[in-house]
Amino acid sequence: MTPATKTLKVPYSYLPRQFADIDGVLAEIKALVQSGDFTLGKPVTEFEEKFAALIGTKYAVGVGSGTDALFLSLKALGIGAGDEVITMANTFVATAGAIETAGARIVFVDCDEKGVIDCGKMEAAITPRTKALMPVVWGGQPPDMPRVMEIASKHKLPVIEDSCQGIGAAFDGRNCGTWGLMAGFSLHPLKNINVWGDGGVIVTSSAEMRDKLRLLRNHGMSSRDEYAFYAYNSRLDSLQALVGLREIQNFRWITDIRIANAKTLDAALAKLAPKIRLPKRDPRETHVYHLYQFHAQRRDELLKFLQGRGIEAKVHYPIPLHLQPASRPLGYKKGDFLMAEADAAATMTLPVHQHLTKEEIAHMISSIEEFYAA
Ligand SMILES: *Cc1c(COP(=O)(O)O)cnc(C)c1O
């Protein structure tokens, strides 16, 4: 280590770098505050149009968070008590939380060796009570969407894509978010396209779903004085839409740099096999690297070693959902989903974000090499 790399910090959060120059947005926010157009205003409509165009769906509906995007999509299908929704056990808690909040039963299945939903196991978990499939773009990596859609159409089930980590991800050149009936995206500060707090988007090409979702997010108000049904308050704020509109303009370079950073890491870490095992990269997939994950021998030691070097490596996540206290009522046990359990025990995540410098990436690589050389 040179003296310079000794003090190098490689932060996981890039927000201070991303928002170092905010005068432009602040001027727009000032104008918004003066106009009083806070809820479902012009910036929200504009953001929805741009977002739908970016993903390639007819419509987008801005909501309060990615979790709400999933929950409201389930509600738009009338899913609730007595229904089952299938997702994978190694996803982020919000996927399962959305199903539970909708009143349905969470049905977990295992992931495959790439960490995305195992389609064969998903099909085997379908029962007469299954009302929707919720595959997840995991870490920016798309599930096998052609296969998911084939199973869905065979069993006449709607697909709600959890694309919260998947802006720009694609399979066979077709974007995540355009496969299912609806898809939820998150604008959380640590997602690839982000805002200054919470925000989410549902995309769909169904006018029927769009109309339902617009009512669901806004008290069921069909007009100021008439309410079609009792519903929720989950709107994307105009202020967040302004921030989101700026970030959408950055989508291409953010995505390209993340992919390029991942390629650099892949090339270096592949040489450390079998101590490090990279997920299989499938040329049909466009992985947008929300997370850069791999299997590492002596994972916990490596994690500590890197953290000691100022590198904010993390684990996503150390306890799979079926083994969480929250899942106790569902009756799962250790051994139910071996791939998810193996991932929880051995994968780790390195920073891969668009604000990393070449020196920071080199520091991560040389630190990992040094750990395994010792
Ligand atoms: C972030 C995330 C969500 C939830 O998004 P929020 O905007 O934080 O509510 C849902 N599913 C997955 C897979 C996520 O990563």
Side-chain angles (χ1 to χ4, degrees):
M1 249 191 328
T2 64
T5 56
K6 223 172 213 155
T7 53
L8 200 57
K9 289 257 184 302
V10 190
Y12 194 84
S13 171
Y14 44 89
L15 300 178
R17 298 184 193 184
Q18 180 183 7
F19 296 120
D21 177 15
I22 56 168
D23 289 353
V25 203
L26 288 180
E28 288 176 17
I29 289 174
K30 187 171 177 193
L32 173 79
V33 172
Q34 283 163 343
S35 78
D37 192 15
F38 289 116
T39 53
L40 298 181
K42 197 161 144 271
V44 174
T45 311
E46 205 181 322
F47 178 80
E48 288 173 339
E49 281 164 10
K50 294 242 163 80
F51 198 88
L54 176 75
I55 302 300
T57 52
K58 284 196 187 143
Y59 315 109
V61 179
V63 295
S65 68
T67 310
D68 280 0
L70 302 172
F71 159 71
L72 294 172
S73 297
L74 292 165
K75 282 289 147 201
L77 288 166
I79 290 172
D83 299 333
E84 295 176 356
V85 177
I86 302 176
T87 192
M88 61 174 194
N90 57 314
T91 180
F92 177 56
V93 57
T95 321
I99 298 170
E100 173 85 20
T101 318
R105 184 179 180 89
I106 306 159
V107 175
F108 289 126
V109 295
D110 212 349
C111 58
D112 64 12
E113 71 283 354
K114 288 187 284 188
V116 293
I117 197 160
D118 183 313
C119 289
K121 290 182 177 148
M122 180 183 77
E123 183 168 22
I126 293 171
T127 74
R129 290 175 301 282
T130 306
K131 290 289 149 39
L133 306 175
M134 202 178 265
V136 182
V137 181
W138 183 234
Q141 168 161 332
D144 184 343
M145 286 313 295
R147 182 96 182 89
V148 169
M149 297 315 294
E150 195 181 296
I151 294 164
S153 101
K154 183 171 147 198
H155 296 270
K156 300 194 170 49
L157 286 170
V159 172
I160 299 170
E161 298 173 67
D162 180 347
S163 294
C164 284
Q165 304 185 355
I167 293 181
F171 200 103
D172 281 340
R174 179 170 164 189
N175 280 342
C176 293
T178 65
W179 296 83
L181 178 58
M182 285 170 277
F185 288 85
S186 168
L187 304 171
H188 180 276
L190 285 180
K191 299 292 160 79
N192 291 17
I193 299 291
N194 54 3
V195 297
W196 292 355
D198 282 306
V201 196
I202 306 156
V203 296
T204 184
S205 288
S206 155
E208 188 196 339
M209 288 300 123
R210 173 206 59 191
D211 292 345
K212 264 205 191 133
L213 291 164
R214 284 182 179 165
L215 290 171
L216 277 164
R217 74 170 168 185
N218 193 30
H219 308 296
M221 285 172 98
S222 41
S223 70
R224 182 184 169 279
D225 300 323
E226 196 176 83
Y227 322 121
F229 47 81
Y230 294 111
Y232 308 94
N233 175 0
S234 179
R235 301 174 292 233
L236 177 65
D237 287 323
S238 296
L239 190 153
Q240 302 297 3
L242 279 180
V243 179
L245 276 166
R246 294 201 145 234
E247 286 313 306
I248 278 187
Q249 295 174 32
N250 296 324
F251 163 78
R252 195 65 266 161
W253 73 260
I254 290 174
T255 308
D256 289 347
I257 293 179
R258 282 176 172 267
I259 292 171
N261 288 346
K263 287 228 157 81
T264 306
L265 290 167
D266 268 6
L269 298 184
K271 293 177 195 149
L272 295 174
K275 287 166 182 135
I276 282 187
R277 181 164 64 77
L278 300 175
K280 194 168 148 261
R281 309 293 185 203
D282 183 332
R284 293 174 301 167
E285 300 167 357
T286 307
H287 188 329
V288 290
Y289 298 98
H290 170 63
L291 304 174
Y292 183 84
Q293 292 184 298
F294 53 87
H295 276 249
Q297 287 179 8
R298 296 159 58 207
R299 193 263 320 261
D300 293 342
E301 279 173 73
L302 174 60
L303 201 64
K304 271 219 182 91
F305 180 83
L306 295 179
Q307 286 164 350
R309 290 287 177 91
I311 298 163
E312 269 192 87
K314 289 182 189 283
V315 176
H316 293 86
Y317 292 94
I319 308 172
L321 293 184
H322 67 291
L323 301 179
Q324 289 286 348
S327 285
R328 254 174 228 147
L330 299 173
Y332 293 108
K333 59 184 187 313
K334 203 164 162 46
D336 281 345
F337 306 118
L338 292 174
M339 296 299 278
E341 290 170 28
D343 281 359
T347 58
M348 60 177 267
T349 309
L350 290 178
V352 71
H353 59 78
Q354 63 273 18
H355 295 281
L356 288 174
T357 64
K358 283 200 161 53
E359 292 71 34
E360 288 169 337
I361 295 173
H363 178 50
M364 291 197 286
I365 292 168
S366 62
S367 299
I368 296 171
E369 286 167 347
E370 203 180 309
F371 174 79
Y372 284 117

Short mmCIF file of all heavy atoms in Angstrom, two decimals, residues 125-185:
data_model
loop_
_atom_site.label_atom_id
_atom_site.label_comp_id
_atom_site.label_asym_id
_atom_site.label_seq_id
_atom_site.Cartn_x
_atom_site.Cartn_y
_atom_site.Cartn_z
N ALA A 125 -44.51 -23.94 -7.30
CA ALA A 125 -45.16 -23.35 -6.12
C ALA A 125 -46.55 -22.80 -6.42
O ALA A 125 -47.26 -22.35 -5.51
CB ALA A 125 -44.27 -22.24 -5.55
N ILE A 126 -46.95 -22.83 -7.69
CA ILE A 126 -48.27 -22.29 -8.06
C ILE A 126 -49.38 -23.22 -7.53
O ILE A 126 -49.30 -24.43 -7.66
CB ILE A 126 -48.38 -22.14 -9.60
CG1 ILE A 126 -47.40 -21.05 -10.07
CG2 ILE A 126 -49.81 -21.80 -10.02
CD1 ILE A 126 -47.26 -20.94 -11.59
N THR A 127 -50.38 -22.62 -6.88
CA THR A 127 -51.54 -23.37 -6.39
C THR A 127 -52.79 -22.67 -6.93
O THR A 127 -52.69 -21.60 -7.54
CB THR A 127 -51.61 -23.35 -4.84
OG1 THR A 127 -52.05 -22.04 -4.42
CG2 THR A 127 -50.28 -23.67 -4.18
N PRO A 128 -53.97 -23.25 -6.68
CA PRO A 128 -55.20 -22.56 -7.13
C PRO A 128 -55.36 -21.19 -6.46
O PRO A 128 -56.12 -20.34 -6.95
CB PRO A 128 -56.32 -23.51 -6.69
CG PRO A 128 -55.67 -24.85 -6.57
CD PRO A 128 -54.25 -24.59 -6.13
N ARG A 129 -54.68 -20.95 -5.33
CA ARG A 129 -54.80 -19.66 -4.64
C ARG A 129 -53.81 -18.61 -5.17
O ARG A 129 -53.88 -17.44 -4.81
CB ARG A 129 -54.60 -19.84 -3.13
CG ARG A 129 -55.75 -20.59 -2.44
CD ARG A 129 -55.46 -20.85 -0.97
NE ARG A 129 -54.23 -21.64 -0.79
CZ ARG A 129 -54.14 -22.98 -0.97
NH1 ARG A 129 -55.20 -23.67 -1.32
NH2 ARG A 129 -52.99 -23.59 -0.81
N THR A 130 -52.86 -19.03 -6.00
CA THR A 130 -51.87 -18.08 -6.52
C THR A 130 -52.58 -17.04 -7.40
O THR A 130 -53.33 -17.40 -8.30
CB THR A 130 -50.81 -18.82 -7.37
OG1 THR A 130 -50.25 -19.86 -6.58
CG2 THR A 130 -49.70 -17.86 -7.79
N LYS A 131 -52.32 -15.76 -7.11
CA LYS A 131 -52.97 -14.70 -7.88
C LYS A 131 -51.99 -13.83 -8.66
O LYS A 131 -52.41 -13.04 -9.50
CB LYS A 131 -53.83 -13.82 -6.94
CG LYS A 131 -55.06 -14.54 -6.40
CD LYS A 131 -56.10 -14.76 -7.49
CE LYS A 131 -56.97 -15.99 -7.36
NZ LYS A 131 -57.42 -16.37 -6.06
N ALA A 132 -50.71 -13.93 -8.34
CA ALA A 132 -49.72 -13.15 -9.10
C ALA A 132 -48.33 -13.71 -8.88
O ALA A 132 -48.06 -14.35 -7.86
CB ALA A 132 -49.76 -11.68 -8.69
N LEU A 133 -47.46 -13.46 -9.85
CA LEU A 133 -46.04 -13.79 -9.73
C LEU A 133 -45.27 -12.48 -9.60
O LEU A 133 -45.55 -11.53 -10.33
CB LEU A 133 -45.57 -14.56 -10.97
CG LEU A 133 -46.37 -15.81 -11.33
CD1 LEU A 133 -45.87 -16.41 -12.65
CD2 LEU A 133 -46.28 -16.86 -10.21
N MET A 134 -44.31 -12.46 -8.67
CA MET A 134 -43.54 -11.24 -8.50
C MET A 134 -42.04 -11.53 -8.58
O MET A 134 -41.35 -11.63 -7.57
CB MET A 134 -43.90 -10.59 -7.16
CG MET A 134 -43.59 -9.11 -7.13
SD MET A 134 -44.06 -8.33 -5.58
CE MET A 134 -45.66 -7.70 -5.98
N PRO A 135 -41.53 -11.67 -9.81
CA PRO A 135 -40.09 -11.87 -9.98
C PRO A 135 -39.36 -10.55 -9.68
O PRO A 135 -39.95 -9.48 -9.81
CB PRO A 135 -39.95 -12.24 -11.46
CG PRO A 135 -41.12 -11.60 -12.12
CD PRO A 135 -42.24 -11.58 -11.11
N VAL A 136 -38.10 -10.66 -9.29
CA VAL A 136 -37.34 -9.49 -8.83
C VAL A 136 -36.09 -9.31 -9.71
O VAL A 136 -35.38 -10.28 -9.97
CB VAL A 136 -36.90 -9.69 -7.35
CG1 VAL A 136 -36.14 -8.46 -6.85
CG2 VAL A 136 -38.10 -9.99 -6.46
N VAL A 137 -35.85 -8.09 -10.12
CA VAL A 137 -34.57 -7.76 -10.76
C VAL A 137 -33.56 -7.65 -9.61
O VAL A 137 -33.59 -6.69 -8.86
CB VAL A 137 -34.63 -6.43 -11.53
CG1 VAL A 137 -33.29 -6.15 -12.20
CG2 VAL A 137 -35.75 -6.45 -12.55
N TRP A 138 -32.72 -8.67 -9.46
CA TRP A 138 -31.91 -8.73 -8.25
C TRP A 138 -30.54 -8.08 -8.44
O TRP A 138 -29.72 -8.55 -9.22
CB TRP A 138 -31.76 -10.18 -7.77
CG TRP A 138 -30.99 -10.28 -6.51
CD1 TRP A 138 -29.88 -11.02 -6.27
CD2 TRP A 138 -31.25 -9.56 -5.29
NE1 TRP A 138 -29.45 -10.82 -4.99
CE2 TRP A 138 -30.26 -9.92 -4.36
CE3 TRP A 138 -32.23 -8.62 -4.89
CZ2 TRP A 138 -30.21 -9.39 -3.07
CZ3 TRP A 138 -32.18 -8.10 -3.61
CH2 TRP A 138 -31.19 -8.49 -2.72
N GLY A 139 -30.34 -6.98 -7.73
CA GLY A 139 -29.07 -6.27 -7.83
C GLY A 139 -28.86 -5.62 -9.19
O GLY A 139 -27.76 -5.17 -9.51
N GLY A 140 -29.92 -5.57 -10.00
CA GLY A 140 -29.80 -5.02 -11.35
C GLY A 140 -29.76 -6.10 -12.41
O GLY A 140 -29.70 -5.83 -13.60
N GLN A 141 -29.81 -7.36 -11.94
CA GLN A 141 -29.77 -8.50 -12.87
C GLN A 141 -31.17 -9.03 -13.13
O GLN A 141 -31.90 -9.36 -12.19
CB GLN A 141 -28.91 -9.60 -12.26
CG GLN A 141 -29.04 -10.90 -13.01
CD GLN A 141 -27.89 -11.83 -12.73
OE1 GLN A 141 -26.79 -11.39 -12.43
NE2 GLN A 141 -28.13 -13.10 -12.82
N PRO A 142 -31.58 -9.09 -14.40
CA PRO A 142 -32.95 -9.52 -14.69
C PRO A 142 -33.14 -11.02 -14.49
O PRO A 142 -32.22 -11.80 -14.74
CB PRO A 142 -33.11 -9.17 -16.17
CG PRO A 142 -31.74 -9.21 -16.73
CD PRO A 142 -30.81 -8.80 -15.62
N PRO A 143 -34.33 -11.42 -14.04
CA PRO A 143 -34.65 -12.85 -14.06
C PRO A 143 -34.83 -13.30 -15.52
O PRO A 143 -34.82 -12.46 -16.42
CB PRO A 143 -35.98 -12.92 -13.31
CG PRO A 143 -36.36 -11.55 -12.92
CD PRO A 143 -35.44 -10.58 -13.58
N ASP A 144 -35.00 -14.58 -15.71
CA ASP A 144 -35.23 -15.11 -17.06
C ASP A 144 -36.68 -14.77 -17.45
O ASP A 144 -37.59 -15.58 -17.31
CB ASP A 144 -35.00 -16.63 -17.04
CG ASP A 144 -35.12 -17.25 -18.43
OD1 ASP A 144 -35.69 -16.59 -19.33
OD2 ASP A 144 -34.67 -18.39 -18.60
N MET A 145 -36.87 -13.55 -17.95
CA MET A 145 -38.23 -13.06 -18.18
C MET A 145 -39.01 -13.83 -19.26
O MET A 145 -40.22 -14.03 -19.11
CB MET A 145 -38.24 -11.55 -18.45
CG MET A 145 -38.00 -10.71 -17.20
SD MET A 145 -38.95 -11.18 -15.74
CE MET A 145 -40.63 -10.82 -16.24
N PRO A 146 -38.36 -14.28 -20.35
CA PRO A 146 -39.14 -15.07 -21.31
C PRO A 146 -39.76 -16.31 -20.65
O PRO A 146 -40.92 -16.65 -20.89
CB PRO A 146 -38.10 -15.46 -22.37
CG PRO A 146 -37.05 -14.41 -22.27
CD PRO A 146 -37.00 -14.01 -20.82
N ARG A 147 -38.99 -16.95 -19.80
CA ARG A 147 -39.46 -18.15 -19.09
C ARG A 147 -40.55 -17.79 -18.07
O ARG A 147 -41.56 -18.49 -17.96
CB ARG A 147 -38.24 -18.80 -18.41
CG ARG A 147 -38.51 -20.07 -17.68
CD ARG A 147 -38.21 -21.31 -18.53
NE ARG A 147 -38.54 -22.50 -17.73
CZ ARG A 147 -39.74 -23.06 -17.71
NH1 ARG A 147 -40.73 -22.60 -18.46
NH2 ARG A 147 -39.97 -24.11 -16.93
N VAL A 148 -40.35 -16.70 -17.33
CA VAL A 148 -41.37 -16.25 -16.37
C VAL A 148 -42.69 -16.01 -17.10
O VAL A 148 -43.76 -16.46 -16.66
CB VAL A 148 -40.93 -14.93 -15.65
CG1 VAL A 148 -42.09 -14.32 -14.87
CG2 VAL A 148 -39.74 -15.18 -14.72
N MET A 149 -42.63 -15.35 -18.26
CA MET A 149 -43.86 -15.01 -18.98
C MET A 149 -44.53 -16.25 -19.57
O MET A 149 -45.76 -16.32 -19.65
CB MET A 149 -43.57 -13.99 -20.10
CG MET A 149 -43.06 -12.64 -19.61
SD MET A 149 -43.97 -11.94 -18.21
CE MET A 149 -45.57 -11.64 -18.95
N GLU A 150 -43.72 -17.22 -19.96
CA GLU A 150 -44.26 -18.47 -20.49
C GLU A 150 -45.06 -19.20 -19.39
O GLU A 150 -46.18 -19.66 -19.63
CB GLU A 150 -43.05 -19.31 -20.90
CG GLU A 150 -43.27 -20.49 -21.78
CD GLU A 150 -41.92 -21.17 -22.04
OE1 GLU A 150 -41.04 -20.53 -22.67
OE2 GLU A 150 -41.72 -22.31 -21.55
N ILE A 151 -44.47 -19.26 -18.19
CA ILE A 151 -45.15 -19.91 -17.07
C ILE A 151 -46.40 -19.13 -16.70
O ILE A 151 -47.47 -19.70 -16.46
CB ILE A 151 -44.18 -20.03 -15.86
CG1 ILE A 151 -43.03 -20.98 -16.21
CG2 ILE A 151 -44.92 -20.48 -14.60
CD1 ILE A 151 -41.84 -20.90 -15.28
N ALA A 152 -46.29 -17.81 -16.67
CA ALA A 152 -47.44 -16.97 -16.31
C ALA A 152 -48.58 -17.18 -17.29
O ALA A 152 -49.75 -17.29 -16.90
CB ALA A 152 -47.02 -15.50 -16.29
N SER A 153 -48.26 -17.24 -18.57
CA SER A 153 -49.35 -17.36 -19.54
C SER A 153 -49.95 -18.77 -19.50
O SER A 153 -51.15 -18.93 -19.62
CB SER A 153 -48.89 -16.90 -20.92
OG SER A 153 -48.59 -17.98 -21.74
N LYS A 154 -49.12 -19.78 -19.25
CA LYS A 154 -49.63 -21.15 -19.12
C LYS A 154 -50.63 -21.25 -17.95
O LYS A 154 -51.64 -21.92 -18.05
CB LYS A 154 -48.44 -22.09 -18.88
CG LYS A 154 -48.79 -23.56 -18.79
CD LYS A 154 -47.50 -24.40 -18.78
CE LYS A 154 -47.70 -25.65 -17.93
NZ LYS A 154 -46.41 -26.25 -17.54
N HIS A 155 -50.33 -20.55 -16.86
CA HIS A 155 -51.19 -20.63 -15.67
C HIS A 155 -52.14 -19.44 -15.56
O HIS A 155 -52.82 -19.26 -14.55
CB HIS A 155 -50.33 -20.73 -14.40
CG HIS A 155 -49.51 -21.99 -14.35
ND1 HIS A 155 -49.97 -23.15 -13.77
CD2 HIS A 155 -48.29 -22.28 -14.85
CE1 HIS A 155 -49.05 -24.10 -13.90
NE2 HIS A 155 -48.01 -23.60 -14.54
N LYS A 156 -52.17 -18.60 -16.61
CA LYS A 156 -53.05 -17.41 -16.65
C LYS A 156 -52.88 -16.55 -15.39
O LYS A 156 -53.86 -16.18 -14.73
CB LYS A 156 -54.51 -17.84 -16.81
CG LYS A 156 -54.75 -18.62 -18.09
CD LYS A 156 -56.22 -18.74 -18.42
CE LYS A 156 -56.44 -19.32 -19.80
NZ LYS A 156 -55.67 -20.55 -20.08
N LEU A 157 -51.64 -16.22 -15.09
CA LEU A 157 -51.36 -15.40 -13.91
C LEU A 157 -50.72 -14.07 -14.32
O LEU A 157 -49.89 -14.04 -15.22
CB LEU A 157 -50.39 -16.14 -12.97
CG LEU A 157 -50.97 -17.31 -12.19
CD1 LEU A 157 -49.87 -18.09 -11.51
CD2 LEU A 157 -52.01 -16.82 -11.18
N PRO A 158 -51.12 -12.97 -13.65
CA PRO A 158 -50.45 -11.71 -13.94
C PRO A 158 -49.06 -11.67 -13.33
O PRO A 158 -48.81 -12.29 -12.30
CB PRO A 158 -51.35 -10.67 -13.27
CG PRO A 158 -52.05 -11.42 -12.19
CD PRO A 158 -52.18 -12.85 -12.64
N VAL A 159 -48.17 -10.96 -13.99
CA VAL A 159 -46.81 -10.76 -13.47
C VAL A 159 -46.65 -9.30 -13.07
O VAL A 159 -46.96 -8.40 -13.84
CB VAL A 159 -45.76 -11.12 -14.54
CG1 VAL A 159 -44.35 -10.74 -14.08
CG2 VAL A 159 -45.83 -12.62 -14.87
N ILE A 160 -46.22 -9.11 -11.83
CA ILE A 160 -45.83 -7.77 -11.37
C ILE A 160 -44.33 -7.83 -11.18
O ILE A 160 -43.83 -8.57 -10.32
CB ILE A 160 -46.53 -7.39 -10.05
CG1 ILE A 160 -48.05 -7.37 -10.24
CG2 ILE A 160 -46.03 -6.02 -9.57
CD1 ILE A 160 -48.83 -7.22 -8.93
N GLU A 161 -43.59 -7.10 -11.98
CA GLU A 161 -42.13 -7.13 -11.87
C GLU A 161 -41.68 -6.22 -10.74
O GLU A 161 -42.04 -5.04 -10.72
CB GLU A 161 -41.49 -6.64 -13.17
CG GLU A 161 -41.81 -7.48 -14.39
CD GLU A 161 -41.26 -6.79 -15.65
OE1 GLU A 161 -40.04 -6.68 -15.79
OE2 GLU A 161 -42.08 -6.34 -16.48
N ASP A 162 -40.90 -6.76 -9.80
CA ASP A 162 -40.23 -5.90 -8.84
C ASP A 162 -38.93 -5.43 -9.49
O ASP A 162 -37.90 -6.10 -9.44
CB ASP A 162 -39.96 -6.62 -7.52
CG ASP A 162 -39.27 -5.70 -6.51
OD1 ASP A 162 -38.80 -4.63 -6.92
OD2 ASP A 162 -39.18 -6.08 -5.32
N SER A 163 -39.03 -4.27 -10.14
CA SER A 163 -37.88 -3.71 -10.86
C SER A 163 -37.24 -2.58 -10.06
O SER A 163 -36.57 -1.72 -10.63
CB SER A 163 -38.32 -3.17 -12.22
OG SER A 163 -38.74 -4.22 -13.04
N CYS A 164 -37.47 -2.61 -8.75
CA CYS A 164 -36.98 -1.51 -7.91
C CYS A 164 -35.47 -1.30 -8.06
O CYS A 164 -34.98 -0.19 -7.93
CB CYS A 164 -37.35 -1.75 -6.46
SG CYS A 164 -39.10 -1.41 -6.17
N GLN A 165 -34.74 -2.39 -8.33
CA GLN A 165 -33.28 -2.27 -8.52
C GLN A 165 -32.91 -2.32 -10.00
O GLN A 165 -31.74 -2.49 -10.32
CB GLN A 165 -32.58 -3.43 -7.79
CG GLN A 165 -32.91 -3.52 -6.31
CD GLN A 165 -32.13 -4.59 -5.59
OE1 GLN A 165 -31.39 -5.36 -6.19
NE2 GLN A 165 -32.28 -4.66 -4.27
N GLY A 166 -33.90 -2.17 -10.87
CA GLY A 166 -33.64 -2.55 -12.26
C GLY A 166 -33.91 -1.52 -13.33
O GLY A 166 -34.28 -1.89 -14.46
N ILE A 167 -33.70 -0.24 -13.06
CA ILE A 167 -33.89 0.75 -14.12
C ILE A 167 -32.84 0.52 -15.20
O ILE A 167 -31.64 0.60 -14.93
CB ILE A 167 -33.81 2.19 -13.56
CG1 ILE A 167 -35.00 2.43 -12.64
CG2 ILE A 167 -33.79 3.21 -14.70
CD1 ILE A 167 -35.07 3.80 -12.03
N GLY A 168 -33.29 0.18 -16.40
CA GLY A 168 -32.37 -0.04 -17.52
C GLY A 168 -31.97 -1.49 -17.71
O GLY A 168 -31.35 -1.84 -18.71
N ALA A 169 -32.33 -2.36 -16.75
CA ALA A 169 -32.02 -3.78 -16.92
C ALA A 169 -32.90 -4.35 -18.04
O ALA A 169 -34.00 -3.86 -18.28
CB ALA A 169 -32.28 -4.54 -15.62
N ALA A 170 -32.39 -5.35 -18.74
CA ALA A 170 -33.13 -5.90 -19.86
C ALA A 170 -32.79 -7.37 -20.05
O ALA A 170 -31.74 -7.84 -19.59
CB ALA A 170 -32.82 -5.13 -21.14
N PHE A 171 -33.69 -8.08 -20.72
CA PHE A 171 -33.43 -9.47 -21.10
C PHE A 171 -33.75 -9.60 -22.57
O PHE A 171 -34.81 -9.16 -23.02
CB PHE A 171 -34.30 -10.44 -20.27
CG PHE A 171 -33.77 -11.84 -20.25
CD1 PHE A 171 -33.10 -12.33 -19.14
CD2 PHE A 171 -33.92 -12.67 -21.36
CE1 PHE A 171 -32.58 -13.62 -19.13
CE2 PHE A 171 -33.40 -13.96 -21.36
CZ PHE A 171 -32.74 -14.43 -20.24
N ASP A 172 -32.85 -10.17 -23.34
CA ASP A 172 -33.01 -10.25 -24.81
C ASP A 172 -33.28 -8.86 -25.39
O ASP A 172 -34.08 -8.72 -26.34
CB ASP A 172 -34.19 -11.18 -25.17
CG ASP A 172 -33.81 -12.66 -25.07
OD1 ASP A 172 -32.60 -12.96 -25.10
OD2 ASP A 172 -34.73 -13.49 -24.95
N GLY A 173 -32.68 -7.84 -24.81
CA GLY A 173 -32.84 -6.48 -25.32
C GLY A 173 -34.15 -5.82 -24.96
O GLY A 173 -34.41 -4.68 -25.36
N ARG A 174 -34.99 -6.52 -24.20
CA ARG A 174 -36.28 -5.93 -23.83
C ARG A 174 -36.25 -5.54 -22.35
O ARG A 174 -35.93 -6.35 -21.48
CB ARG A 174 -37.38 -6.96 -24.09
CG ARG A 174 -38.74 -6.44 -23.71
CD ARG A 174 -39.83 -7.39 -24.22
NE ARG A 174 -41.07 -7.08 -23.53
CZ ARG A 174 -42.17 -7.81 -23.62
NH1 ARG A 174 -42.16 -8.90 -24.37
NH2 ARG A 174 -43.24 -7.47 -22.97
N ASN A 175 -36.60 -4.28 -22.08
CA ASN A 175 -36.44 -3.73 -20.73
C ASN A 175 -37.27 -4.42 -19.67
O ASN A 175 -38.44 -4.77 -19.91
CB ASN A 175 -36.84 -2.24 -20.72
CG ASN A 175 -35.75 -1.36 -21.25
OD1 ASN A 175 -34.59 -1.77 -21.33
ND2 ASN A 175 -36.11 -0.14 -21.62
N CYS A 176 -36.70 -4.56 -18.49
CA CYS A 176 -37.47 -4.95 -17.31
C CYS A 176 -38.48 -3.83 -17.06
O CYS A 176 -38.15 -2.65 -17.14
CB CYS A 176 -36.54 -5.11 -16.11
SG CYS A 176 -35.42 -6.50 -16.33
N GLY A 177 -39.69 -4.25 -16.78
CA GLY A 177 -40.77 -3.27 -16.61
C GLY A 177 -41.75 -3.33 -17.76
O GLY A 177 -42.89 -2.90 -17.64
N THR A 178 -41.30 -3.91 -18.91
CA THR A 178 -42.20 -4.00 -20.07
C THR A 178 -42.76 -5.42 -20.24
O THR A 178 -43.56 -5.66 -21.14
CB THR A 178 -41.47 -3.64 -21.39
OG1 THR A 178 -40.46 -4.62 -21.64
CG2 THR A 178 -40.83 -2.26 -21.31
N TRP A 179 -42.32 -6.35 -19.39
CA TRP A 179 -42.74 -7.75 -19.57
C TRP A 179 -44.07 -8.03 -18.89
O TRP A 179 -44.98 -8.62 -19.49
CB TRP A 179 -41.68 -8.70 -19.01
CG TRP A 179 -40.36 -8.66 -19.72
CD1 TRP A 179 -39.35 -7.77 -19.51
CD2 TRP A 179 -39.90 -9.56 -20.74
NE1 TRP A 179 -38.28 -8.06 -20.34
CE2 TRP A 179 -38.60 -9.16 -21.10
CE3 TRP A 179 -40.46 -10.67 -21.38
CZ2 TRP A 179 -37.84 -9.83 -22.06
CZ3 TRP A 179 -39.71 -11.34 -22.33
CH2 TRP A 179 -38.42 -10.91 -22.67
N GLY A 180 -44.17 -7.63 -17.64
CA GLY A 180 -45.36 -7.95 -16.86
C GLY A 180 -46.50 -6.98 -17.12
O GLY A 180 -46.36 -6.03 -17.90
N LEU A 181 -47.62 -7.24 -16.44
CA LEU A 181 -48.77 -6.33 -16.55
C LEU A 181 -48.42 -4.98 -15.92
O LEU A 181 -48.82 -3.92 -16.40
CB LEU A 181 -49.98 -6.97 -15.84
CG LEU A 181 -51.28 -6.17 -15.81
CD1 LEU A 181 -51.77 -5.84 -17.22
CD2 LEU A 181 -52.35 -6.93 -15.03
N MET A 182 -47.66 -5.05 -14.82
CA MET A 182 -47.20 -3.84 -14.13
C MET A 182 -45.80 -4.12 -13.59
O MET A 182 -45.42 -5.28 -13.41
CB MET A 182 -48.11 -3.52 -12.94
CG MET A 182 -49.45 -2.92 -13.33
SD MET A 182 -50.58 -2.83 -11.92
CE MET A 182 -51.24 -4.49 -11.89
N ALA A 183 -45.08 -3.03 -13.32
CA ALA A 183 -43.77 -3.17 -12.68
C ALA A 183 -43.55 -2.01 -11.74
O ALA A 183 -43.97 -0.88 -12.03
CB ALA A 183 -42.65 -3.21 -13.72
N GLY A 184 -42.92 -2.30 -10.60
CA GLY A 184 -42.64 -1.25 -9.63
C GLY A 184 -41.16 -0.87 -9.68
O GLY A 184 -40.29 -1.73 -9.78
N PHE A 185 -40.92 0.44 -9.63
CA PHE A 185 -39.55 0.98 -9.56
C PHE A 185 -39.43 1.84 -8.31
O PHE A 185 -40.39 2.45 -7.87
CB PHE A 185 -39.24 1.84 -10.79
CG PHE A 185 -39.07 1.05 -12.05
CD1 PHE A 185 -40.17 0.69 -12.82
CD2 PHE A 185 -37.81 0.65 -12.48
CE1 PHE A 185 -40.02 -0.05 -13.99
CE2 PHE A 185 -37.65 -0.09 -13.65
CZ PHE A 185 -38.76 -0.44 -14.40
#
